[in-house]
Amino acid sequence: MKLKIAVQKSGRLYEDSLRLLKECGITIANGGNKLKAEAANFPIEVYFLRDDDIPQYVEDGVADIGIAGENVVYEKRKQVDVQEKLGFGKCRLSIAVSKNETFSQPWLNGKRIATSYPVLLQQYLDKQNISAEIHEISGSVEIAPGIGLADAICDLVSSGSTLLTNGLKEVETILFSQAVLISSKELSSEKENLVQKLLFRIRAVQKARNNKYVLLNAPDNKLEDIIKLLPGMKSPTVLPLATKGWSSVHSVLQEDDFWDIIEQLKAAGAEGILVVPIEKMII
Ligand code: PRP
Ligand code: ZN
């Protein structure tokens, strides 16, 4: 018995999806342009599919789980469970207009908006009490205003370079999106166990990514102040250095408040601060 996971076959999520699996100890030999691949060291089978189709495959049970963008998951309104945000593939679904337009609401009233996301766009328009005409097109949405097909577009923006090269500017964001792990609502308990095993690994990898291992030297008379600045998993490790009157302090810091704490540590007398990435973190 194998868990079947659907991942994007090429595009913004492909590399990060495979990297995440690899960091979870799941190596896939995807030589060539295969549709299907097996992992050597985890009972999992990988299907490479178009990202837009992944929620459908998971709903139908063709795949047990999948990695897809929230934008696609919510647009397709499929019956799947969202298990975990994966922290990559970050982008936003935004409305954009010609860069020369002076935009302020209710500018969109009565306008035509081209998009591949009619469901999410309609929800947004309803909430804002705007009545606009939605033109659903499946690709190259960004050229619609230039050829007179629409007054505005609603599309994914990541770096913003697609908008820029097409003379468009982002005016409203309707959804922030990232990759998520989705699962079928009808998994056998055996498969459910495998999903939990995979999630355990994913969380350990994610946690590690958000934390750094910090080592520093401190004069013993400053130790107390320095330790107060460090959260650590339980409390920091303190080891004596060969040089008398000095200690080495080891701890774990979160990415978010990392720089602030490093500055305070330096000010409190810490020296020789080393910051090391953590590979896995299980707490
Ligand atoms: C999106 C969107 C734009 C581009 C924006 O397509 O439709 O074309 O990415 O990215 P940028 O701001 O970095 O230029 P996507 O990669 O999702 O392709 P798809 O629609 O074929 O899935
Ligand atoms: Zn897509």
Side-chain angles (χ1 to χ4, degrees):
M1 199 262 326
K2 287 197 156 109
L3 195 65
K4 292 175 283 181
I5 182 170
V7 303
Q8 192 186 33
K9 81 166 178 271
S10 65
R12 76 172 72 241
L13 305 181
Y14 170 77
E15 274 175 28
D16 286 333
S17 301
L18 287 194
R19 193 179 53 145
L20 176 66
L21 292 177
K22 192 168 174 217
E23 286 171 340
C24 290
I26 299 169
T27 2
I28 294 130
N30 182 31
N33 226 341
K34 280 195 284 182
L35 174 70
K36 217 168 94 173
E38 283 190 17
N41 39 10
F42 195 88
I44 201 166
E45 206 168 32
V46 186
Y47 289 70
F48 296 97
L49 302 166
R50 276 202 59 212
D51 63 338
D52 307 49
D53 299 333
I54 290 176
Q56 177 78 62
Y57 283 116
V58 172
E59 185 188 69
D60 294 346
V62 174
D64 302 312
I65 57 174
I67 296 177
E70 289 174 294
N71 54 307
V72 176
V73 174
Y74 298 131
E75 174 67 26
K76 304 290 178 190
R77 289 194 291 189
K78 299 293 174 201
Q79 294 301 307
V80 297
D81 289 328
V82 174
Q83 295 281 1
E84 190 79 16
K85 289 184 193 261
L86 299 175
F88 61 83
K90 289 192 176 160
C91 58
R92 48 200 190 270
L93 185 62
S94 292
I95 293 172
V97 300
S98 161
K99 66 173 193 296
N100 305 318
E101 206 65 65
T102 41
F103 180 93
S104 74
Q105 288 292 28
W107 186 90
L108 283 170
N109 253 322
K111 297 287 197 301
R112 294 164 305 160
I113 312 172
T115 189
S116 316
Y117 295 88
V119 171
L120 292 172
L121 176 56
Q122 189 63 60
Q123 273 171 12
Y124 172 81
L125 294 175
D126 289 347
K127 229 187 330 180
Q128 303 287 317
N129 266 319
I130 298 164
S131 80
E133 194 184 318
I134 298 179
H135 271 249
E136 183 178 352
I137 45 180
S138 59
S140 303
V141 172
E142 60 277 2
I143 65 167
I147 58 173
L149 190 68
D151 307 298
I153 66 165
C154 171
D155 199 11
L156 287 190
V157 183
S158 174
S159 63
S161 71
T162 303
L163 293 187
L164 198 69
T165 48
N166 287 282
L168 300 169
K169 65 176 177 190
E170 197 177 351
V171 290
E172 307 262 306
T173 296
I174 76 175
L175 175 85
F176 286 95
S177 174
Q178 61 176 288
V180 287
L181 186 83
I182 55 172
S183 66
S184 155
K185 286 190 175 289
E186 281 153 42
L187 291 179
S188 65
S189 61
E190 221 179 334
K191 285 191 169 173
E192 183 59 41
N193 280 342
L194 283 177
V195 174
Q196 290 311 321
K197 208 167 151 178
L198 181 63
L199 277 171
F200 176 78
R201 296 187 188 189
I202 289 175
R203 286 175 189 138
V205 168
Q206 300 232 85
K207 196 129 200 106
R209 238 182 242 159
N210 294 330
N211 286 274
K212 301 277 177 251
Y213 194 74
V214 180
L215 302 93
L216 58 88
N217 294 334
D220 288 343
N221 60 358
K222 305 253 174 78
L223 264 182
E224 208 179 315
D225 292 345
I226 286 175
I227 287 170
K228 270 192 217 136
L229 295 169
L230 293 167
M233 282 217 260
K234 283 230 159 48
S235 70
T237 307
V238 181
L239 301 164
L241 286 186
T243 311
K244 229 180 155 341
W246 282 78
S247 293
S248 166
V249 181
H250 300 197
S251 188
V252 172
L253 286 186
Q254 274 203 7
E255 190 82 64
D256 306 339
D257 38 38
F258 174 78
W259 286 112
D260 276 349
I261 296 186
I262 293 290
E263 281 161 21
Q264 293 173 39
L265 287 170
K266 260 192 97 201
E271 290 183 14
I273 305 174
L274 291 183
V275 181
V276 188
I278 300 172
E279 202 180 279
K280 310 280 189 294
M281 198 161 148
I282 295 126
I283 48 175

